Every structure is written in C-alpha cells, then in structure tokens.
Amino acid sequence: MTGTLTITGDANADALLSNDPLALLIGMLLDQQVPMESAFAGPLKISERLGSFDAASIAGADPDAFSELFKTPPAVHRYPASMATRVQALCQAIIDDWDGDASSIWTKDSPTGAEVYRRLKALPGFGDQKARIFVALLGKQYGFDGEGWREAAGAYGEDGSTRSVADIVDADSLTKVRETKRLAKAAAKRK
C-alpha cells in the first residue's frame, strides 16, 4: 500500500491504516453511525486489546471475549456487540475467500475497478455505498489504478469531491467532507 490516511488524529492509528490493508478494511466497515475518526481508530484499539492483528486471530477469537474487547472503554464502536460480530465475519471471509490477505481483494489478478467493487460488495458489511467509497479510497490515496476505478466508485471517484473518507488528506479536507455530509443530511431531512 502506498497511501497515508490522516483522519484519526492519532499518528499510530493512521500508520496502521496506511500500512495494513486489513486495518483499512475494518476501519471502513466500522464507518457507520460514529464519527469517521472513531471508526478508523478502531483497528488500532482492536490490535492493542487483542495483542495481534491479522484475519486469523480476529476470526478465531472467542466471540464473547471479542465483543467484550469492543465494549472496553473507550469502546471500539457505538454498537460494540454487533460490530464485533461483523468484524469477525469480515475476517472469516478474508480467510475463506482471500487466503487471509485483505489486499488480494484489490491486487489479485490485476482487477478492474468494477471487479474490486464486486469483490468488496461480496464481503460481509459492505453494501453499495461502502464498496464505492472504498474503491475511491484505494484509487485516490493508495495507488490503485485498475481500469475504470473512478466509474466503479461513482460520485466518490470524482476529482476534487469532498464526499467521503476517500477525499480526506488533512484537517482542511476533513472539515470540507464533514460539511458536505452535513448538507446532504439536512437536504435528506427536508424531503
């Protein structure tokens, strides 16, 4: 991986996201109903509390103990039990379908953007929007250049957009993404 995500405000959490494809996937999975900084800081909390950070260790952890790990203050997520289950399911899918290597999702057999999108959507917890955002994140910040990645990412792949974590490179861009999301939420409420 070649990117450097600067979103959490914690250099260690950002370094893990930048260097570990599994951390990046788990951060994306956790990015719902919590602030982005909190979601993407989750992988470091998991790593520190579990004492290891790989798909096999996470998938193989006792589900009750793993859920408790999520609940330990500060909690990994607002919904610790359900998100712990989702993280373990994601890691099991990476073991079963990708030989335990998360980066294979976007590197194996030099996939197109549409193929990476399809692969992501097949993962537990990754729907249309999350898969599109992740393709944009790979393309904009991690050097993924699979043919058609911008099209697969949809609006999230547009140059100069401020729609998602894919567009955050510093504190200023984080503020712009937050404002875009706030405006979109307000517009949705008016409908």
Side-chain angles (χ1 to χ4, degrees), residues 12-32:
N12 292 329
D14 287 340
L16 182 62
L17 295 167
S18 299
N19 296 308
D20 190 321
L22 179 61
L24 192 63
L25 267 177
I26 290 174
M28 188 76 235
L29 177 70
L30 295 172
D31 189 17
Q32 60 187 59

Side-chain angles (χ1 to χ4, degrees), residues 5 133-134 136-138 140-141 156 163-169:
L5 195 61
I133 292 169
F134 200 82
L137 180 60
L138 292 172
K140 289 181 174 183
Q141 297 197 41
Y156 299 105
R163 288 183 172 85
S164 73
V165 67
D167 304 308
I168 298 171
V169 294

Side-chain angles (χ1 to χ4, degrees), residues 111-118 135 144-153:
T112 64
E115 177 62 17
V116 172
Y117 167 75
R118 186 195 64 73
V135 170
F144 175 68
D145 62 357
E147 181 182 336
W149 74 263
R150 285 189 189 276
E151 292 78 7

